Amino acid sequence: MAVGLAVASEGGQYNGRITSFVILSCMVASMGGLIFGYDIGISGGVTSMEPFLKKFFPEVYDRMKEDTKISNYCKFDSQLLTSFTSSLYVSGLVASFFASFVTRHFGRKPSIVAGGAAFLSGSALNGAATNLCMLIFGRVLLGVGVGFANQSVPLYLSEMAPPRYRGAINNGFQLCVGIGVLSANFINFGTEKIEGGWGWRISLAMAAIPATLLTIGSLFLPETPNSLIQRFNDEQKAKTMLQRIRGTADVEAEFDDLIKASLVSKSIEHPIKKIIQKNYRPQLVMAIAIPFFQQVTGINVISFYAPILFRTLGLNESVSLIMSALIAGVVGTASTFLSMLIVDKLGRRVMLLCGGVQMFVSQIMIGSIMAAKLGDHGSIDKGYAYFVLTMICIYVSGFAWSWGPLGWLIPSEIFPLEIRSVGQTIVVAVNFIFTFIVAQTFLAMLCHFKSGIFFFFGGWVAVMTAFVYLLLPETKKVPIELMDRVWRQHWFWKRIVEEFDEKTKMEPA
């Protein structure tokens, strides 16, 4: 039964409403963000638990406990420890290429199911791990799950959503990431107190709960009309699904655009070769730049290693975990929810610019205080420590309502159907590549850069804010199959697109 508000795109070409069918389907699919967020939150907390370090990374444990001469910034510098975190992103990178094939040829739904099942297997293996090999292999399976989910879920949400509310619905993915981080941090806080030192097993094994919800729930998901048209010749089936999700029989305008996009898509045999052509240059640049910038904001400094960072500030293990839960979880989730409410009103550009300024200022303040007040040994004064925590809250908030959700939303809505799957694969692959690089190098960078690491990431935030101001057009409320118009109206990109059009017209038929 359709419920909700009537929706018409700004050009008046599409009819429809937000139906309960769409809301329920998108809620289930968004749980792909839940498994991603849970892993981000759980790995940072577990790697700061002393029993976990003692069992799997004894050299880090001994250094933390016994070496009083080593710098505050270098106690946790271990390639094995960072391999535990970053192995997920290597496997996720490889899996995303397989996910692209599955998403294009079999549909969005099978990719989501596969992601949930792989993550479920990895969580079981991690919870039962008795040695480092089991632990790393479990992380690899988790990475396969995240790779499939991150490739398919944002596409699914953008294709199911009405244009007017596409931003809010797609941001549900990042909201679930925040909820996953929040849940993981509170679970870490509870399991860290379990006597016997086996609480980390519960933390890792409980990843099976969101994975089970996603796997079972996704079995009942409908396929998107875009995918049905792309894969089958049964246009009536696709039209019936479109009518159902829009809550109206009058879907001719949107359906005609889907048919046209499908005809172009079916004529493309090699989408990878297609996406490097000049007329797709704007989308390709965004597919690389946006996930790259999302990672060099420095958010993983907080997401992966917040408890370790707080221990560097001189806080004990329990306080580090609860602070991590409050900051990465509560602040991040609340800010992402705010983003859902305003993204289709303010637009993508304004939010990215304001969020960039907020992150830049807070990072410079954090770096300045740590440079002035935290030496290689000892701890920082409580007053300054809490000021740093406040600035971290402001930073996390800035990311969570801007680059966090919009880093997934914008790439998922800018690709035409013929290159949509491969375009999203590039987005996920770039995201995983630089997530891996940051995760693998952060502890070494923290040791060598010390407080300067915040100036390093702050500099990237300044660059990406300038990039948005100059090169990113506004995409709010533009129908996903008519997105090419934003490039043709942009001061810079229209030159490239029009130059290709003119060249094509001059070529003999």
Side-chain angles (χ1 to χ4, degrees), residues 464-483:
M464 60 201 265
T465 303
F467 175 88
V468 169
Y469 180 78
L470 294 172
L471 295 177
L472 181 68
E474 183 55 66
T475 58
K476 71 171 181 177
K477 300 182 182 179
V478 179
I480 194 170
E481 303 301 349
L482 301 177
M483 194 62 69

Side-chain angles (χ1 to χ4, degrees), residues 156-457:
Y156 185 90
L157 297 177
S158 286
E159 290 180 347
M160 290 289 285
R164 187 178 173 186
Y165 295 102
R166 187 174 60 244
I169 291 176
N170 193 284
N171 279 9
F173 176 79
Q174 185 67 25
L175 180 65
C176 284
V177 172
I179 293 172
V181 172
L182 176 63
S183 303
N185 277 290
F186 278 114
I187 288 171
N188 278 338
F189 180 70
T191 58
E192 180 266 332
K193 298 180 179 297
I194 295 177
E195 294 183 6
W198 51 272
W200 59 268
R201 291 192 183 275
I202 296 179
S203 292
L204 295 177
M206 284 187 71
I209 295 177
T212 301
L213 292 174
L214 177 65
T215 305
I216 295 176
S218 59
L219 293 174
F220 299 95
L221 287 177
E223 192 56 84
T224 69
N226 313 65
S227 180
L228 290 173
I229 292 175
Q230 184 181 37
R231 294 184 297 115
F232 302 109
N233 291 321
D234 189 356
E235 294 182 2
Q236 186 55 46
K237 182 178 180 180
K239 186 174 183 180
T240 300
M241 178 58 68
L242 184 61
Q243 290 172 333
R244 187 179 181 189
I245 68 175
R246 296 292 180 252
T248 178
D250 184 12
V251 294
E252 293 299 328
E254 184 172 6
F255 186 68
D256 287 345
D257 286 338
L258 292 180
I259 292 294
K260 294 174 185 175
S262 175
L263 292 174
V264 175
S265 175
K266 290 176 181 177
S267 68
I268 305 301
E269 295 183 1
H270 304 288
I272 295 179
K273 292 182 180 178
K274 193 70 176 178
I275 200 172
I276 62 176
Q277 292 183 356
K278 200 167 187 178
N279 59 321
Y280 298 117
R281 188 65 46 79
Q283 292 96 327
L284 181 60
V285 169
M286 296 303 162
I288 297 171
I290 289 177
F292 166 73
F293 285 137
Q294 188 186 47
Q295 293 311 308
V296 295
T297 57
I299 188 60
N300 289 331
V301 173
I302 306 301
S303 298
F304 294 151
Y305 303 113
I308 292 175
L309 181 63
F310 297 150
R311 295 199 73 176
T312 297
L313 289 172
L315 304 177
N316 64 39
E317 185 174 2
S318 294
V319 174
S320 295
L321 288 171
I322 192 61
M323 284 296 180
S324 175
L326 289 172
I327 291 174
V330 176
V331 175
T333 304
S335 298
T336 303
F337 183 73
L338 171 65
S339 176
M340 293 180 67
L341 298 178
I342 64 177
V343 64
D344 291 311
K345 297 177 182 178
L346 291 183
R348 285 61 159 156
R349 275 173 51 85
V350 171
M351 292 177 64
L352 290 177
L353 292 172
C354 293
V357 172
Q358 184 174 335
M359 287 189 289
F360 175 77
V361 172
S362 56
Q363 283 183 316
I364 297 303
M365 294 294 289
I366 294 169
S368 299
I369 293 297
M370 292 183 68
K373 300 298 179 180
L374 180 65
D376 279 350
H377 304 281
S379 61
I380 195 172
D381 292 341
K382 273 191 175 181
Y384 289 111
Y386 286 119
F387 178 78
V388 169
L389 294 181
T390 301
M391 288 296 104
I392 290 176
C393 283
I394 293 172
Y395 165 78
V396 169
S397 174
F399 177 85
W401 70 268
S402 63
W403 277 92
L406 300 185
W408 292 107
L409 165 61
I410 295 171
S412 74
E413 65 185 2
I414 62 174
F415 299 110
L417 185 60
E418 65 267 21
I419 59 166
R420 190 168 297 157
S421 180
V422 71
Q424 185 67 13
T425 297
I426 292 172
V427 172
V428 174
V430 172
N431 189 290
F432 279 150
I433 287 171
F434 286 99
T435 302
F436 167 76
I437 292 173
V438 171
Q440 192 68 29
T441 61
F442 168 67
L443 292 178
M445 289 171 65
L446 181 63
C447 179
H448 291 90
F449 286 14
K450 301 182 180 179
S451 58
I453 194 168
F454 291 96
F455 299 109
F456 173 79
F457 287 120

